[in-house]
Amino acid sequence: MSSPAFRPDERLVPMRLQRFLARAGVASRRGSEDLMTAGRVCVNGIVTTELGSKVDPACDRVTVDGVPVVLGAGATYIMLNKPAGFITTMRDPHGRPTVAELVPTRRYPGLFPVGRLDLDTTGLLLFTTDGDFGQALLHPSHHVWKTYLALVDGILEDDELEPLRRGIELDDGLCQPARCRLLTNREIRQVYSGRPPAYTTFVEVKIREGRKNQVKRMLSIIHHPVLELHRTQFGSLRLDDLPMGEWRELDSSEVALLKDDAGIS
């Protein structure tokens, strides 16, 4: 995991509670403030919502949703293999299933998803408590590649992908060039159980942007609507054999690779 948020020999002095939570890796500074105002943070057993409150890390006991918080734990980084049917949000006012139900929010109460996957899109979804890290991965200037596997309607020929490779025009502007290829029969057998539906094609699409429904819209424009969509890779991070609906923490080398992908230290 990431290095501790403080030096072992650093003198601990009273600090604002939201700063303490951020340094402990619970959430970003803004996310920590949201946890406080929601009444989820206690200091010495007392719910603390005042943003100017201070704590002494040497003697005060801080909990979030009843879970003790200590300095030095560092930020958390998690990968989920998202199933279909879950909204990419941590709370839904309409009570619909959300990805928050699939990750350890009690253990890491400041988790938030890095970007979004559509309701019916499956695959790799990142979560973190590190706000700067999440924003950097999504910032357009950092151009982090995302890889999708799409099952599309109709028999798609390779030359039909040329508009996507050049940069196709959507209703919200010109897309950056995508990397696209058709899957071989052997690859299809590895990723799809059973016999694919008749008159369908599997295509891999890599993009560096994150517009809403982008891959679906790109393929629809070339008259091959997406039937199923699955994200297999985010930057250097691969989903590999993580079971559907399961999550795991990233190790320090994986976090370092993602930071390198985004050009951040």
Side-chain angles (χ1 to χ4, degrees):
M1 300 301 296
S2 61
S3 58
F6 70 103
R7 300 188 306 273
D9 61 345
E10 182 179 4
R11 181 171 176 264
L12 299 178
V13 297
M15 65 181 73
R16 288 183 181 272
L17 180 53
Q18 59 264 44
R19 179 170 177 242
F20 170 86
L21 294 171
R23 290 181 66 198
V26 171
S28 64
R29 187 76 64 90
R30 177 62 184 273
S32 297
E33 293 176 351
D34 291 342
L35 291 173
M36 291 173 63
T37 56
R40 300 171 63 188
V41 181
C42 290
V43 178
N44 300 323
I46 300 173
V47 175
T48 304
T49 59
E50 175 57 52
L51 297 182
S53 302
K54 290 189 176 183
V55 294
D56 185 341
C59 59
D60 288 325
R61 183 176 186 272
V62 179
T63 61
V64 177
D65 294 337
V67 179
V69 177
V70 296
L71 287 179
T76 298
Y77 307 89
I78 282 175
M79 172 173 64
L80 168 73
N81 188 351
K82 176 191 171 296
F86 289 83
I87 301 171
T88 305
T89 184
M90 300 308 283
R91 296 183 185 86
D92 181 65
H94 304 293
R96 293 170 295 182
T98 73
V99 293
E101 301 170 32
L102 305 173
V103 293
T105 53
R106 177 169 172 78
R107 191 186 315 174
Y108 308 113
L111 278 177
F112 66 90
V114 180
R116 293 177 179 273
L117 291 180
D118 302 332
L119 177 68
D120 59 348
T121 299
T122 61
L124 200 163
L125 184 61
L126 288 173
F127 291 78
T128 186
T129 58
D130 185 338
D132 292 339
F133 173 81
Q135 291 177 15
L137 283 177
L138 296 176
H139 198 281
S141 66
H142 292 155
H143 304 306
V144 179
W145 288 99
K146 278 80 70 177
T147 304
Y148 296 83
L149 179 61
L151 175 66
V152 302
D153 185 44
I155 304 304
L156 174 62
E157 301 293 341
D158 184 77
D159 59 2
E160 295 180 84
L161 294 170
E162 284 306 313
L164 279 63
R165 293 168 177 150
R166 293 193 301 267
I168 198 166
E169 183 85 26
L170 299 180
D171 56 8
D172 55 357
L174 185 67
C175 292
Q176 295 179 12
R179 298 175 180 174
C180 309
R181 69 179 184 90
L182 303 180
L183 265 64
T184 65
N185 289 332
R186 180 179 179 181
E187 289 174 320
I188 293 172
R189 288 193 295 270
Q190 291 173 342
V191 301
Y192 197 85
S193 59
R195 188 181 182 87
Y199 301 105
T200 60
T201 307
F202 278 96
V203 57
E204 181 184 84
V205 180
K206 296 185 178 184
I207 59 173
R208 297 191 294 182
E209 299 166 289
R211 306 188 200 182
K212 186 176 181 180
N213 297 326
Q214 183 174 344
V215 173
K216 293 179 179 178
R217 292 158 62 202
M218 292 165 64
L219 289 164
S220 288
I221 285 184
I222 62 171
H223 310 296
H224 289 282
V226 171
L227 303 175
E228 297 179 24
L229 188 63
H230 182 71
R231 183 156 72 187
T232 60
Q233 192 168 343
F234 193 117
S236 299
L237 186 64
R238 295 178 180 274
L239 192 61
D240 290 333
D241 57 356
L242 182 66
M244 185 69 70
E246 298 294 321
W247 64 270
R248 70 169 178 83
E249 288 191 55
L250 306 188
D251 61 36
S252 58
S253 63
E254 290 173 321
V255 175
L257 283 173
L258 284 172
K259 289 183 176 181
D260 187 58
D261 289 333
I264 57 177
S265 56

